[in-house]
Each structure stands twice: as structure tokens, then as C-alpha cells.
Amino acid sequence: MHVTQFVADVVHVAHALLHAWHCAAEPLSLTDLTGQVQAPLDPRGRSATVIVFTLPECPIANAFVPEINRLAADYRAKGVSFFLVHAERELTAATARQHAKEFGVTCPVLVDAQHALVKALGGGWNPTEPPKLVAK
């Protein structure tokens, strides 16, 4: 993905997140692998949020980790937050932690086994199609 397209996609996601946040009584929160409570849909204190859904056994997703780390580092100073999210129902925090360590993930990692974040963003599951952005 070209960086210009990536930035345009981030803007679309930010709009969707702002809408989701304004529609919710309380922002959705999940605990990351370090024990910190994260509210990825809450726009306060950030200019945009990037949420990357992944599977630990996907070689394509794993190959993108260095690029995700680079983008997260490059955009951190601009107020953009990145989250890597595991939405596999059977995935344990221990497996997610091992994956993050093995691949050197530098952004917060969330386990969304109940699909709360997936549902809040209007996502679905279809690994045969390219990722799409959902703006509400």
C-alpha cells in the first residue's frame, strides 16, 4: 500500500471512529497485553487511530509487522495511535503475547475474542477479500 493511500485510509478510519465514539455512552475499552486499559475508539488525545486486525498464524500479516512498526513510529509524533488486534475467538493472551514477542510488535496488542471492537467498527470476516475501511 502506498503511503499516500495509507494516510487517506487513516482519515477515513478516524471519521468512522469519531462517529462510533459519539454514538457510544462510554468508549469501548480493552486491556492490552501489558495490562494497560486501552480505548481505541476514543479520539481524545489523538488525531487518528489505526486498528490492524491480524491472525498470529498468517504469514502475510506477519510479514507486514515491520511496516506497521515503522508507520506507528513515524506517525506517533503526529498523534496517531496504532493497535494490533487479534479477533480470533480461541486465541489466548499468552499466544498473543508470544506472537508479539516473536515478531517484535511495538504498538499495543489487544485480544478481541468477544468481537466487541469488530462489531463496533462494523467489521466481518472474509480472509479472501482485501481489507476494507468502514465509515459510518
Side-chain angles (χ1 to χ4, degrees):
M1 177 182 290
H2 190 274
V3 173
T4 303
Q5 181 60 47
F6 173 79
V7 172
D9 291 347
V10 167
V11 170
H12 289 290
V13 171
H15 286 275
L17 294 174
L18 284 170
H19 176 76
W21 179 70
H22 285 294
C23 292
E26 280 188 40
L28 173 74
S29 63
L30 296 168
T31 303
D32 69 19
L33 296 180
T34 67
Q36 295 276 2
V37 176
Q38 302 284 350
L41 301 182
D42 186 349
R44 292 178 288 192
R46 58 181 82 134
S47 59
T49 301
V50 177
I51 298 173
V52 180
F53 289 93
T54 191
L55 294 168
E57 66 276 357
C58 179
I60 296 169
N62 291 334
F64 274 100
V65 170
E67 182 66 6
I68 293 166
N69 287 342
R70 185 189 69 75
L71 290 168
D74 289 351
Y75 284 88
R76 185 174 296 119
K78 296 175 181 161
V80 179
S81 297
F82 279 69
F83 296 92
L84 190 76
V85 180
H86 291 283
E88 191 174 345
R89 291 193 188 274
E90 295 81 27
L91 186 85
T92 65
T95 301
R97 198 172 286 109
Q98 178 182 343
H99 174 263
K101 181 178 179 181
E102 180 179 344
F103 289 93
V105 178
T106 59
C107 60
V109 177
L110 306 173
V111 176
D112 186 24
Q114 301 303 312
H115 289 183
L117 191 54
V118 172
K119 291 174 189 169
L121 292 173
W125 178 261
N126 190 344
T128 61
E129 293 181 9
K132 64 181 178 182
L133 295 172
V134 179
K136 295 182 180 183

